[in-house]
Amino acid sequence: MNALAELTRYYDEVSRCSRCGFCQPTCPTYKLEDGEADVARGRNALVRGVIEGRAVLDADSIRTVDECLRCGACVTACFAGVRTDRIMAAARAFYAEQKGRSRLAGFLMAGLLPRRRLLSALMKVLAWSKRTGLSRLARLAGWAGAWGRGLARAEGLVKEVPTSFFSDRLKPGTVLPALGEKKFTVGYFVGCRTEFLYPRIGLDTVEVLRRFGAEVRLFADPASCCGLPPYSYGYSQATRDLVRRNAEAIVREPCQWVVTEIGSCYHFLKEYGQLYGDDPEFGETARRAADKVVYLADFLAQAGPPRGLRAAYPRRITFQDSCQLVHLQKSARAPRELLKGLEGVDFREMEEASWCCGGAGAYTVSHPGQSEPILERKLGNLRATGADEVVVACQSCYLQISHGVRSRGMKVKVKHLAEVMEEATRPAAP
Amino acid sequence: MLKRLFSKKKAVPFAGLLPPGQVLSAPHERFPYSYDASNWRGEPSCVLIPRDSAELAACVRACRREGRRFIARGAGTNLSGATVAPDGEVVISLTRLNRVLELDPLRRRALVECGVVNLDLQKAASAHGLFFAPDPASQKASTLGGNLAVNSGGPRCLKYGITTHHVMAVEIIRPDGSLAWLGDPLGEAAGPDLRGLLVGSEGTLGIISRAWVKLLPLPKAARTALFSFPGVAEAVRAVSEIIARGIVPSTLELMDAFILKAVEQFHHAGYPQDAAAVLLAEVEGEEEDLGEMMGEVLEAARRHGCLSFQAAEDGESRARLWEGRRGAHAAVACLRPSVWVEDGTVPRNRLAEALERLQEIGRKEAIQVGYLFHAGDGNFHPLMLFDDRIPEEREKVRRAGGEMLKACVDLGGTITGEHGVGIDKLPYMEYLHDPVTLAVMGEVKAVLDPENLCNPGKLIPPAFLSGAAGLAPSGRPRPQEAREWVPGGLAEAADMIRRARLEGLSVRPGGGGSKAAAPDTGVRLSSRAMNAVLDFDPANLTLSAGAGLGVAEAEALAESRGLELGFAACFPGTATLGGALSCSDSGPWRESRGRLGDSLLGLEAVLPDGRIVSIGRKVVKNVAGLDLGRLWVGSRGGLGLVASLILKLYPKPPAEDLLVAACPDHAQAAAGLEALRSGGLEPAAYCLLSPALAERLGEELGLRPAGSGGMLVLADFRGRLGRSGALRRRAVGALTAGGMEPGFELQGENRRQVWDWLRQYGAGPEGGLLRLWGPAGALREWTNLARDHSLPLACHLGGHEAWLHYPSLDSLGPWLDSAARLGARFSRLKGEGPLRPWWPAGEAGVMARQIKDHFDPGGFFPELPSF
Ligand SMILES: Cc1cc2nc3c(=O)[nH]c(=O)nc-3n(C[C@H](O)[C@H](O)[C@H](O)COP(=O)(O)OP(=O)(O)OC[C@H]3O[C@@H](n4cnc5c(N)ncnc54)[C@H](O)[C@@H]3O)c2cc1C
Ligand code: SF4
Ligand code: SF4
């Protein structure tokens, strides 16, 4: 199918935008400069213009599309619920198709992401270079151009990298028994950020699931990526390959649900049905997979703590929504209920908690100029809560807010929901 | 370097005008400014993004220098194509002028930049227990500049009125880049109400850069209920009955069955599905009152066949009831790719009829239409479903829309109640306005924007923009023996004015003669024979009458049906409606009830050249064109003779109560007002009488509270207080705590007598009456001066205004000095003789002068006040 025809599949969706402007007040990129090119209305108008031949997507105008966080805040604000997030992904794919792609990025998306072992080996090298200080040296030496700068920022964002990855600790295919009475069987989906950056959070997730009475199964041959990055950046084929592989694995796994603790992965797994439900080859599988996926907080809230499990957390905390969870999956309640239900907790709601922190996957690396002021606004709201800890629901926020807190010398601790739940339900030492 | 100097690169427009990033000229940067919320498109040649008033003025000057036409753009949420650039105009985007510069909780005013988003002002105000009444459904996104420029409405207009009622003063950048302040932050500037002309002008006369707006105390409680009806006609009748009962809910929103179904499909708000219409009603006020008010609403609904009703028990259920209304547009929008919203208004008691005709049009064109009504205002929105990608469908919807608006006009309504004209409604302007009136709009535009730089091609049909040809100079009036002419009607008045001009006679329009003596030369043109009641429509809450109708007669007529005027002019015994209008004599309740101009829905006037202008209708929301009527407000006959008026009426409050207290001095009075307000007791008027005035009141009405001999405070309450002993005791307590000695509680006739006396005070040929407004410090100083000079002064503390009765111009010296020193202003209500304002007339004066010179070259009619 040619690229324009592919984009034109979104003609109906984009035409539902009535240009009412109601997305303006909630769009984090709009609020930077109040510019019409930086809000869903402007973005949709551009795409519609492209489809109707009144506008072009070129090296200049793609900025409008690229600077979208795909956070979905506009979808929540929108009368008609226009899915600007999907339209932007389609526009990126259209542009990439037209202009050809960067070889390096192409290799990363199509060659690397699906190959966990290869990716793993490469990540080890990067991790080692970070620990030894080699990477800083490389940065000082002005190693490489634009990509180099991106990598340098990426490298700067991460404070430390783990010595071993998640699958080094818990091998693929492992089945972990429930602690106490077994009530559920769940599969656990390991996202790339859990695998390579935050294995601790993954281990906590598994532990909490087990304490809540679940037998936890790890996929035998995981892909280590849900497909969101290649989708966001317009790599349609790579996306489709990953989706298909994951969907099949999810459906195959003998369990009631597949749980993930990463807000953005969860959202994308849920999108499988919408995006690929019509696929002649695996549409049915994509839909079934999507139905089977549950977010950690929803699962825990539904399951409820087993009798005798004490959950206490006597701290002053606040919660940062995962954009995709709150705006695109409309799940704002469960995480708050869980947290507020903890004994001794002092929960402070944060202003604009549902606003993106500027992390947005690779956005923080590719668009530091936008990402930093968005983060600044977030940190201001965070300070105003007076909380000692901010709880997040997605590793992307974890990375971004940790970087923000660290670089501004703030005392606030960043915790993932899974970490908080693990600590809160940890049995007293005998 | 050399190469660059000599390279033939095209000069970048506006280079160096603004810092980088604030001038957008690349195609991909301009594209997003080519649309608004309407279906119109047009790409600007350049977008300028100023960040403060100074940059904005520089932008306007640069445009003028380069001969570029420009369009002010706020959030671009208008529904009329008002901000698109069909001819590649320059767009000046105002979203960065977004600061609330000052918020004064004591005086209840805010100074805002034009790009502040409506909801952001609401947030800032609510921190002080205040709110800004205009609440267009787009308030989350739309800017105050846009709200002002379109004169927006909102669900709460029914109770609080439209945007212009809440705007005190605007700063505009004129098309030549000069800056003018119009209006007064605290009171009413003299002269034609140019502030009112600018509000609603859709950016065609200049760009509003900043504004002083009025804030109100947040209502203490609200109650919401949903009523279902077997038909829209029944619901509409219920609305009329609610209003006839004197209840003014803050909201009466009506939805038809089509919308109900859509809402239920997408929002599950729990709206009844068997009904053909539902009415969402909300009442606001004192907790104690609400039950009773809602009871009346229910009673009215029952009488008109209400099928069922749901009352919101708590915040959550209230939110749910509202969710259906708020999401109505959304729900309908999900049914087809596009929705087009029309915006008609008819007299409120003709809604049912209007609906029938509109439905017929929808059926004929085979369009799916849902109807959403701001029923209390007679304003409604047909939501027409179509697909804007299909030209035939676009055509069909457009055709139907035009016919619907024509039907509204035929029923005495208008073509746009709140969305504005822009480009979209231009073809319908001629349904509504006669050619002379349209030409006058065009002339006002041409006078104030001679190069047609500001938002050209919008609001006024281009055919009527042929330029400010104006009158052939006809010399100046010659001094001639004084005489009086008394026309019996509009045509005769026009004849007389033409004749006077031919004969070189100066003309001074007059009413009852309560405020100005007859001139000693030329013609006194009296409206007193044009005193007919033309149309009294209690159900619609309107009165149309000849300008010569006496104020007292109009009041009596309204009162005969439990209604009242929106102003309380001085000297009601002799003053006429036209005279009160020409002096903008709003009366003691200005701060709570609004300015006189705010209850003016329309008028007919004869211009100094004999042409007849007719503007407005019997509807409370009407933004079809320039608000020309405002030109005659306060212009004291300088722009011709006002022949008739259409006035908005208000239900009389269920009870009224006047507390009279002895007060040692100004400080105590101010403290008393604070104590009342902080106790949640909001007086409708709060007036301190100087010893000289208090003395006379005591003598003539026998009201001399113990401990008096000093000053008196009149604290007037309209509403609940009059019926509640407990509240009254609280009010008395507050005054006592403030250091006053409350003496009388007056109701009914007794209360009325006091106000009538005060309004009538100073009638008669001698002396004069000056209105002064200023900050608290100024009021204090004037009060002290009045005590020291033993002059009668009534100081309206709540309204930042003082009325000074002076025996002769010489005696005014101390007040004028004080006003000048404190930056306060005045206007004269009664009296003769030269009285020069201390402040420079500035650009506002220049504008008034330009208008005056255009319509009255040679100066046959009186000078405009204060210029
Ligand atoms: C879904 C929806 C609901 C709406 N609901 C309502 C409603 O309930 N009531 C209502 O009245 N309207 C409503 N509107 C219409 C619109 O939102 C209002 O007219 C609003 O006031 C426009 O504000 P804006 O900032 O978007 O102005 P814009 O659309 O940017 O401009 C509107 C007009 O004002 C002029 N303008 C803007 N700023 C200035 C300035 N500073 N100085 C001079 N001229 C200026 C522009 O030139 C233009 O003519 C609605 C619109 C939508 C899309
Ligand atoms: S997805 Fe987020 S950043 Fe993108 S337009 Fe919507 S609100 Fe703005
Ligand atoms: S809120 Fe939705 S319909 Fe309105 S402009 Fe934004 S995307 Fe378009």
Side-chain angles (χ1 to χ4, degrees):
Chain A
M1 207 191 282
N2 87 32
L4 187 61
E6 187 64 28
L7 184 63
T8 305
R9 284 179 42 200
Y10 287 85
Y11 194 23
D12 282 347
E13 184 65 15
V14 80
S15 300
R16 295 198 308 121
C17 171
S18 62
R19 299 168 303 282
C20 68
F22 280 33
C23 41
Q24 287 175 355
T26 57
C27 173
T29 59
Y30 180 75
K31 278 297 157 199
L32 292 177
E33 290 294 332
D34 300 299
E36 189 64 44
D38 306 323
V39 65
R41 176 166 72 163
R43 295 180 165 128
N44 291 331
L46 173 63
V47 171
R48 183 166 171 178
V50 170
I51 295 174
E52 292 176 353
R54 292 181 289 112
V56 288
L57 213 47
D58 58 17
D60 291 323
S61 60
I62 191 67
R63 215 211 68 186
T64 296
V65 173
D66 276 348
E67 285 179 12
C68 174
L69 297 155
R70 295 192 57 255
C71 66
C74 51
V75 181
T76 300
C78 180
F79 263 171
V82 173
R83 289 298 298 264
T84 306
D85 60 318
R86 288 186 189 148
I87 295 168
M88 288 305 105
R92 287 178 191 172
F94 168 75
Y95 184 69
E97 198 64 51
Q98 256 191 334
K99 298 286 150 178
R101 305 146 201 275
S102 127
R103 279 238 207 107
L104 182 52
F107 166 70
L108 189 75
M109 296 296 179
L112 218 47
L113 278 182
R115 302 208 178 90
R116 189 180 55 85
R117 265 174 249 264
L118 184 58
L119 186 57
S120 187
L122 189 74
M123 289 303 286
K124 286 254 159 73
V125 177
L126 286 176
W128 172 78
S129 83
K130 163 113 188 162
R131 274 197 304 278
T132 56
L134 204 66
S135 62
R136 213 162 318 133
L137 208 67
R139 200 165 14 148
L140 283 177
W143 182 59
W147 256 93
R149 248 181 286 126
L151 281 182
R153 176 164 164 93
E155 199 261 83
L157 283 173
V158 181
K159 180 156 154 268
E160 54 188 37
V161 279
T163 43
S164 58
F165 296 151
F166 182 85
S167 47
D168 298 332
R169 317 262 191 103
L170 284 179
K171 294 279 175 245
T174 311
V175 176
L176 297 115
L179 299 170
E181 186 197 344
K182 171 179 158 183
K183 290 195 280 182
F184 319 95
T185 309
V186 302
Y188 173 53
F189 181 87
V190 187
C192 63
R193 282 173 196 247
T194 301
E195 172 67 24
F196 299 121
L197 276 181
Y198 303 114
R200 179 77 256 152
I201 297 175
L203 295 173
D204 286 347
T205 304
V206 170
E207 185 65 20
V208 172
L209 286 171
R210 294 173 66 199
R211 286 185 201 149
F212 271 66
E215 173 188 281
V216 180
R217 304 178 63 94
L218 303 178
F219 296 169
D221 183 20
S224 84
C225 174
C226 61
L228 182 57
Y231 173 72
S232 296
Y233 290 93
Y235 293 86
S236 320
Q237 192 55 47
T239 313
R240 187 171 179 275
D241 293 346
L242 278 168
V243 168
R244 180 167 188 174
R245 182 159 155 202
N246 284 326
E248 282 166 358
I250 290 168
V251 171
R252 196 183 317 121
E253 196 67 32
C255 57
Q256 289 155 286
W257 292 291
V258 168
V259 175
T260 173
E261 85 288 15
I262 308 183
S264 55
C265 292
Y266 167 69
H267 159 66
F268 196 64
L269 294 168
K270 279 295 197 198
E271 285 279 271
Y272 281 12
Q274 283 291 330
L275 296 174
Y276 294 93
D278 295 338
D279 193 291
E281 288 172 36
F282 71 104
E284 168 71 19
T285 312
R287 270 179 276 130
R288 279 176 52 204
D291 287 344
K292 207 168 162 182
V293 178
V294 182
Y295 183 66
L296 174 69
D298 294 309
F299 177 81
L300 297 181
Q302 279 279 311
R307 210 194 310 256
L309 187 76
R310 185 157 171 261
Y313 202 70
R315 313 239 173 104
R316 191 183 303 154
I317 64 170
T318 186
F319 179 64
Q320 159 68 26
D321 281 294
S322 148
C323 317
Q324 308 203 311
L325 205 56
V326 66
H327 294 302
L328 301 175
Q329 298 300 328
K330 311 288 175 216
S331 165
R333 251 191 153 133
R336 285 180 174 75
E337 267 171 20
L338 269 185
L339 292 173
K340 287 182 186 166
L342 298 175
E343 227 177 282
V345 81
D346 175 0
F347 185 91
R348 310 264 174 110
E349 187 62 47
M350 173 165 63
E351 270 290 298
E352 300 179 350
S354 68
W355 284 48
C356 180
C357 61
Y363 192 91
T364 174
V365 176
S366 59
H367 292 85
Q370 284 73 31
S371 175
E372 277 297 313
I374 292 173
L375 174 61
E376 197 58 53
R377 181 169 180 142
K378 177 61 64 189
L379 295 174
N381 285 322
L382 175 53
R383 271 191 208 100
T385 62
D388 300 322
E389 295 187 357
V390 52
V391 183
V392 299
C394 180
Q395 272 72 334
S396 181
C397 320
Y398 197 99
L399 180 69
Q400 172 84 344
I401 298 181
S402 300
H403 147 72
V405 164
R406 196 168 59 241
S407 59
R408 274 94 173 155
M410 287 167 67
K411 292 268 178 307
V412 185
K413 275 205 187 110
V414 183
K415 289 261 174 89
H416 190 281
L417 189 70
E419 293 177 286
V420 170
M421 290 308 291
E422 191 280 321
E423 241 186 281
T425 58
R426 195 180 296 164
Chain B
M1 182 68 195
L2 267 185
K3 202 171 153 203
R4 209 181 314 149
L5 270 182
F6 288 107
S7 72
K8 273 202 165 166
K9 224 170 146 197
K10 227 177 110 202
V12 187
F14 303 113
L17 173 65
L18 297 172
Q22 292 173 235
V23 179
L24 312 180
S25 53
H28 73 281
E29 295 173 314
R30 295 187 272 114
F31 181 80
Y33 293 85
S34 61
Y35 52 79
D36 51 30
S38 73
N39 293 318
W40 295 86
R41 281 194 205 110
E43 198 166 307
S45 54
C46 186
V47 180
L48 303 176
I49 309 179
R51 286 171 178 256
D52 55 39
S53 288
E55 285 189 356
L56 171 56
C59 290
V60 171
R61 279 195 298 272
C63 284
R64 171 149 196 257
R65 207 167 42 236
E66 307 213 351
R68 306 278 288 270
R69 298 177 164 182
F70 55 89
I71 300 171
R73 184 182 191 272
T77 68
N78 73 85
L79 289 157
S80 65
T83 51
V84 304
D87 289 319
E89 293 86 348
V90 172
V91 159
I92 302 183
S93 171
L94 300 162
T95 49
R96 295 305 293 179
L97 277 83
N98 57 1
R99 281 156 296 214
V100 175
L101 298 170
E102 222 180 301
L103 204 152
D104 183 343
L106 267 182
R107 291 189 293 167
R108 296 180 175 167
R109 298 287 192 266
L111 174 63
V112 295
E113 288 187 320
C114 61
V116 170
V117 170
N118 180 303
L119 197 67
D120 290 341
L121 174 60
Q122 306 291 2
K123 281 187 197 147
S126 72
H128 301 279
L130 300 171
F131 77 112
F132 179 58
D135 63 336
S138 59
Q139 72 177 152
K140 280 186 188 165
S142 62
T143 63
L144 294 171
N147 296 167
L148 266 61
V150 180
N151 195 6
S152 289
R156 280 197 300 215
C157 289
L158 173 58
K159 176 160 182 184
Y160 299 103
I162 50 181
T163 298
T164 190
H165 302 171
H166 304 276
V167 178
M168 300 306 296
V170 293
E171 178 197 70
I172 64 163
I173 310 295
R174 302 195 62 200
D176 61 2
S178 62
L179 183 155
W181 267 109
L182 310 175
D184 186 284
L186 296 174
E188 295 177 81
D193 179 11
L194 295 175
R195 172 211 65 83
L197 180 70
L198 256 288
V199 174
S201 65
E202 299 188 13
T204 60
L205 303 179
I207 299 186
I208 299 169
S209 47
R210 297 187 283 178
W212 277 105
V213 298
K214 184 168 153 183
L215 304 174
L216 302 177
L218 276 168
K220 282 195 284 301
R223 209 160 284 182
T224 313
L226 187 81
F227 304 86
S228 68
F229 290 89
V232 172
E234 286 84 347
V236 166
R237 278 197 288 273
V239 166
S240 299
E241 164 128 9
I242 292 166
I243 289 172
R245 283 171 182 247
I247 305 288
V248 186
S250 51
T251 312
L252 280 178
E253 299 281 296
L254 205 160
M255 286 159 271
D256 77 347
F258 185 84
I259 294 195
L260 278 179
K261 294 234 155 54
V263 165
E264 212 38 43
Q265 199 170 335
F266 294 99
H267 299 285
H268 313 291
Y271 281 13
Q273 289 302 288
D274 49 348
V278 298
L279 182 67
L280 182 69
E282 189 157 287
V283 291
E284 288 178 354
E286 298 283 339
E287 183 61 52
E288 300 89 339
D289 287 346
L290 298 183
E292 195 177 316
M293 280 165 83
M294 207 34 119
E296 295 252 8
V297 173
L298 177 60
E299 183 59 35
R302 285 226 170 95
R303 284 190 41 148
H304 295 279
C306 161
L307 298 172
S308 68
F309 108 109
Q310 284 170 259
E313 302 301 336
D314 49 32
E316 201 170 309
S317 52
R318 175 176 175 221
R320 202 168 40 81
L321 289 184
W322 266 106
E323 196 184 323
R325 167 60 188 89
R326 293 224 170 88
H329 191 158
V332 174
C334 290
L335 299 174
R336 289 291 317 270
S338 327
V339 193
W340 181 240
V341 190
E342 277 303 353
D343 174 34
T345 303
V346 293
R348 42 191 137 210
N349 43 353
R350 304 196 74 174
L351 267 180
E353 235 173 302
L355 182 72
E356 249 168 57
R357 294 212 199 170
L358 267 55
Q359 282 174 330
E360 183 53 43
I361 295 166
R363 272 195 295 274
K364 198 179 75 196
E365 294 283 3
I367 302 174
Q368 283 180 291
V369 195
Y371 291 89
L372 211 63
F373 303 74
H374 306 301
D377 294 321
N379 182 206
F380 56 90
H381 301 309
L383 306 181
M384 296 186 263
L385 296 181
F386 72 115
D387 185 336
D388 75 345
R389 296 169 296 181
I390 304 173
E392 302 81 64
E393 290 208 15
R394 273 206 309 266
E395 238 347 274
K396 207 162 72 166
V397 162
R398 177 123 189 98
R399 201 164 50 232
E403 282 183 45
M404 288 178 176
L405 297 179
K406 188 152 195 321
C408 291
V409 174
D410 291 344
L411 288 169
T414 181
I415 57 171
T416 169
E418 55 179 24
H419 291 170
V421 176
I423 305 181
D424 200 72
K425 306 288 180 276
L426 281 178
Y428 317 134
M429 285 289 272
E430 283 176 80
Y431 297 166
L432 185 65
H433 300 292
D434 61 68
V436 172
T437 304
L438 283 173
V440 169
M441 279 185 202
E443 288 167 32
V444 170
K445 158 86 172 163
V447 165
L448 298 179
D449 178 18
E451 291 159 79
N452 196 17
L453 295 173
C454 274
N455 212 356
K458 316 282 171 62
L459 188 69
I460 300 166
F464 294 91
L465 261 185
S466 46
L471 293 174
S474 52
R476 319 199 110 263
R478 294 179 301 277
Q480 291 186 48
E481 190 190 325
R483 65 203 79 179
E484 186 180 56
W485 292 351
V486 186
L490 188 61
E492 195 185 352
D495 278 346
M496 286 176 170
I497 286 176
R498 277 192 291 268
R499 203 172 95 210
R501 187 169 279 273
L502 284 176
E503 295 177 11
L505 286 162
S506 62
V507 181
R508 179 154 176 177
S514 64
K515 304 183 191 76
D520 42 24
T521 170
V523 179
R524 178 177 201 276
L525 190 66
S526 171
S527 65
R528 74 169 175 268
M530 301 198 293
N531 60 351
V533 173
L534 304 171
D535 177 76
F536 176 41
D537 189 346
N540 186 42
L541 303 182
T542 53
L543 167 67
S544 312
L549 185 67
V551 169
E553 284 148 277
E555 286 176 353
L557 182 66
E559 195 171 349
S560 70
R561 302 295 297 266
L563 304 174
E564 62 181 18
L565 304 188
F567 55 94
C570 285
F571 320 129
T574 37
T576 59
L577 292 178
L581 174 88
S582 303
C583 301
S584 188
D585 187 1
S586 306
W589 293 277
R590 174 175 57 78
E591 187 69 11
S592 57
R593 272 205 277 176
R595 293 161 295 221
L596 182 146
D598 297 335
S599 42
L600 180 70
L601 302 179
L603 57 69
E604 284 173 314
V606 187
L607 287 167
D609 60 11
R611 286 183 297 170
I612 295 171
V613 174
S614 161
I615 185 102
R617 306 222 117 194
K618 285 168 53 180
V619 293
V620 289
K621 280 164 120 186
N622 184 0
V623 291
L626 293 176
D627 196 355
L628 282 185
R630 294 280 180 175
L631 284 178
W632 282 272
V633 176
S635 60
R636 291 192 151 249
L639 294 175
L641 179 81
V642 176
S644 71
L645 301 79
I646 310 176
L647 294 173
K648 181 177 171 184
L649 303 176
Y650 299 80
K652 258 184 124 39
E656 293 163 315
D657 201 60
L658 176 65
L659 302 185
V660 183
C663 177
D665 82 27
H666 183 275
Q668 264 79 1
L673 178 60
E674 257 327 286
L676 285 170
R677 282 181 169 173
S678 55
L681 298 164
E682 190 66 33
Y686 188 86
C687 180
L688 174 67
L689 308 184
S690 73
L693 201 54
E695 177 89 359
R696 294 290 297 279
L697 179 70
E699 264 170 32
E700 294 182 21
L701 296 185
L703 284 176
R704 236 193 269 262
S708 68
M711 303 195 234
L712 280 183
V713 155
L714 309 179
D716 197 33
F717 296 89
R718 319 188 75 221
R720 174 84 187 167
L721 195 98
R723 280 181 299 175
S724 155
L727 284 182
R728 218 155 38 224
R729 275 191 296 280
R730 257 171 54 203
V732 169
L735 294 182
T736 314
M740 281 177 264
E741 244 176 273
F744 299 93
E745 291 169 21
L746 306 175
Q747 281 120 22
E749 235 356 84
N750 293 333
R751 163 188 173 276
R752 161 96 156 244
Q753 222 183 6
V754 174
W755 286 119
D756 284 352
W757 179 86
L758 192 67
R759 287 168 63 196
Q760 197 61 35
Y761 184 87
E766 328 69 38
L769 173 54
L770 200 66
R771 292 171 77 189
L772 298 129
W773 32 82
L779 295 182
R780 185 175 57 238
E781 202 165 301
W782 300 334
T783 313
N784 291 341
L785 281 170
R787 189 186 49 209
D788 300 345
H789 291 75
S790 309
L791 281 193
L793 176 122
C795 186
H796 300 279
L797 267 65
H800 319 288
E801 176 169 344
W803 296 356
L804 178 64
H805 296 273
Y806 61 89
S808 68
L809 284 180
D810 306 337
S811 56
L812 280 177
W815 279 272
L816 298 188
D817 291 348
S818 156
R821 190 160 28 77
L822 297 167
R825 302 199 172 192
F826 63 78
S827 84
R828 180 158 51 173
L829 210 49
K830 177 195 151 193
E832 301 290 323
L835 185 59
R836 282 266 148 238
W838 59 266
W839 64 95
E843 273 302 305
V846 174
M847 289 171 70
R849 175 92 266 153
Q850 288 169 335
I851 293 173
K852 168 81 173 158
D853 285 349
H854 172 78
F855 289 108
D856 185 21
F860 282 76
F861 280 67
E863 270 297 304
L864 292 172
S866 70
F867 302 113

